[in-house]
Each structure stands twice: as structure tokens, then as C-alpha cells.
Amino acid sequence: MRVIKTANYEEMSTHVANLIAAEILLNPRAKLGLATGSTPIGAYQTLIEYNQKHLINFSQVSTYNLDEYRGLEPTNDQSYRYFMNHQLFDHINIDKANTHVPDGSNPDAQAACKAYDELLEQAGYVDLQLLGIGRNGHIGFNEPAESFSKGTLCVDLTPSTIEANSRLFASKDEVPKQAYTMGTQAIMYAKTVVICASGADKADAVASMIAGPITPECPASILQLHPNTIVVADKEALANC
Ligand code: F6R
């Protein structure tokens, strides 16, 4: 793992955006794995600026998001599809037909997961996977478990994740209890993984990911086995390393 330590969230966001921009400059048809959550928002804003200044071109880029709440329509303003449209896709010259998010509106979990796995397999998996990290070490919605996940799966969100995500909903009761998430295998197939973290509340998870045992109890720890993982984190998030 390569670790890039930044002074603060803004610097972390610039580094992450630059790594993604470099990927697109080197490969205009880049396949990007993308994440939602608070952490990547600054990087997405920087990518929008670069695109508007014509420094990078998304016209041939395709994207594959990590996860989606089960039971939310893409038009629901709490869905991850809605988040991605608003935080990034609506502001760049990407062809929306080339942007993919698991289909949370499909109640048939098996079919929704199979369809996403087939899509990823047909694409040959992603060139660069952007990840955030949960306070419990989750990546995507791969929560601490007894074994690492493989393909796309439907997960029950843990109480701590529901609690963390409730800040974005009117109340905790409104947070969906299940989600479809890309499995660990597809994440590990990415040629490059960029995982970003900011703030003291991520310090324990980041330390376990970088230097703890490789265990499904900290799903991000599997990235120690990935040949090209770059951790971009601010000094608060790296405080325990
Ligand atoms: C989001 C995702 C999650 C988040 C993680 C951190 O698509 O897959 O794993 O990356 O929960 O979320 P934030 O950035 O909000 O702290």
C-alpha cells in the first residue's frame, strides 16, 4: 500500500481528483469505480472544475458505482444514483448511458446482483476503484463479517452504518435497512484502488486497514493484498498509524 498523507480534507480531495484525472488523461476510455458518501465530494467538485476548464474529458469514460440502497428508485433523492447525478454526472460531459449503479429499484435481490456482476464482468472490471472507508472498516457496503464477500450481494446494514448514514435522512427509521453492494472480488480486480479518508473518526479503521491483520472483520484490510492500492488520507485519519 502506498500512503499519501495530506494536511487536511481539501488537500486530500485534490490528490484524489489528480489521481483520477491522471487515469483519464492516460486512458480516455477509463472505467472508473466510484463511491458515494461525504468523503469523495471534494474530489468530485475538483473533477467538475477540471472538466469545465477542459483539462479532462469524460466523453468516453464509463463508471460503475459501488452500491445502492435496496428499495429506492433512482429518482429518490436519498438514492446513490441521485447523489451521483447531483454531485458529479450532471456537471461533466459524461454520457449518462455509460454510468452504472446497482439497480436498487429491483426487489429481486438475486437478479439485481447477478445483473451487476454480469455488467462488471463484461466490462472487464474497472481500471481505478475509488473507495471511502466506514468507521467499522467497511468498503462499499461490505460490512465486518466472518468471510470476505465475492460477487455483488444484498447486505443487511449494521446498526453503526445505519446510525452513520442517518445524518442524511430525516430520521433513523427512514434509512433503508438493506443495500446491494459490489463484492470484495470485483474491488480486488480493479487495476488501481484509491481509498480516501478524512477525520479522526476514521483513524481506528485506517490503522486496522493499513497495519492490522487481514481479516473480514475489517473488510478494508484485504487491500493489503492488492498490488496497487493508494491510501490518500489526512493527518487526523492517519493519527493511529
Ligand atoms: C459509499 C460507500 C461507503 C462509504 C463509507 C464512508 O458508496 O461505499 O463504503 O465510502 O461509508 O462514508 P463517508 O465518506 O460518508 O464517511
Side-chain angles (χ1 to χ4, degrees), residues 34-40 65-68 80 130-136 138-142 161 164-165 167-168 181 196 198 201-202:
L34 297 179
T36 59
S38 313
T39 316
N65 261 81
L66 279 167
D67 40 23
E68 179 60 284
Y80 285 172
L130 176 63
L131 298 174
I133 182 169
R135 280 180 260 173
N136 60 6
H138 73 220
I139 46 176
F141 271 130
N142 293 284
T161 299
N165 291 6
R167 71 191 191 281
L168 305 167
T181 181
C196 55
S198 170
D201 61 336
K202 298 293 174 70

Side-chain angles (χ1 to χ4, degrees), residues 3 6 22-23 29 39 66 83-84 100 114-115 125 132 136 146 175 186 188 198 202 235:
V3 180
T6 69
E23 181 73 35
R29 302 179 69 85
T39 316
L66 279 167
F83 174 102
M84 288 309 300
H100 309 280
K114 186 164 177 271
Y125 300 95
N136 60 6
E146 282 172 15
V175 185
M188 291 296 280
S198 170
K202 298 293 174 70
K235 56 179 191 304

Side-chain angles (χ1 to χ4, degrees), residues 30-226:
K31 289 166 281 173
L32 304 177
L34 297 179
T36 59
S38 313
T39 316
I41 290 177
Y44 292 157
Q45 281 166 358
T46 305
L47 288 171
I48 292 168
E49 277 168 41
Y50 290 173
N51 184 236
Q52 290 176 351
K53 289 179 184 157
H54 304 290
L55 297 172
I56 46 168
N57 178 3
F58 284 87
S59 63
Q60 297 182 81
V61 169
S62 49
T63 66
Y64 298 84
N65 261 81
L66 279 167
D67 40 23
E68 179 60 284
Y69 288 118
R70 183 182 187 205
L72 296 192
E73 293 293 324
T75 47
N76 185 309
D77 62 5
Q78 300 291 359
S79 75
Y80 285 172
R81 159 55 76 181
Y82 187 95
F83 174 102
M84 288 309 300
N85 286 348
H86 279 255
Q87 297 294 344
L88 185 64
F89 302 148
D90 284 346
H91 312 287
I92 57 176
N93 71 328
I94 198 161
D95 180 350
K96 284 249 183 81
N98 293 336
T99 67
H100 309 280
V101 180
D103 183 4
S105 68
N106 186 349
D108 181 341
Q110 217 183 339
C113 295
K114 186 164 177 271
Y116 209 57
D117 276 339
E118 283 171 1
L119 192 71
L120 288 163
E121 196 183 334
Q122 274 161 23
Y125 300 95
V126 301
D127 298 304
L128 182 150
Q129 176 67 57
L130 176 63
L131 298 174
I133 182 169
R135 280 180 260 173
N136 60 6
H138 73 220
I139 46 176
F141 271 130
N142 293 284
E143 301 279 18
E146 282 172 15
S147 58
F148 288 108
S149 63
K150 293 193 175 67
T152 302
L153 66 158
C154 178
V155 289
D156 295 328
L157 304 187
T158 61
S160 78
T161 299
I162 292 173
E163 180 70 42
N165 291 6
S166 65
R167 71 191 191 281
L168 305 167
F169 288 80
S171 76
K172 206 160 89 179
D173 292 342
E174 284 184 30
V175 185
K177 306 290 177 286
Q178 289 186 314
Y180 298 141
T181 181
M182 207 186 266
T184 311
Q185 199 169 46
I187 293 171
M188 291 296 280
Y189 281 154
K191 295 192 184 86
T192 301
V193 174
V194 174
I195 182 158
C196 55
S198 170
D201 61 336
K202 298 293 174 70
D204 286 344
V206 169
S208 301
M209 165 179 72
I210 295 176
I214 299 169
T215 163
E217 281 165 29
C218 175
S221 64
I222 200 166
L223 297 171
Q224 291 176 35
L225 298 177
H226 189 280

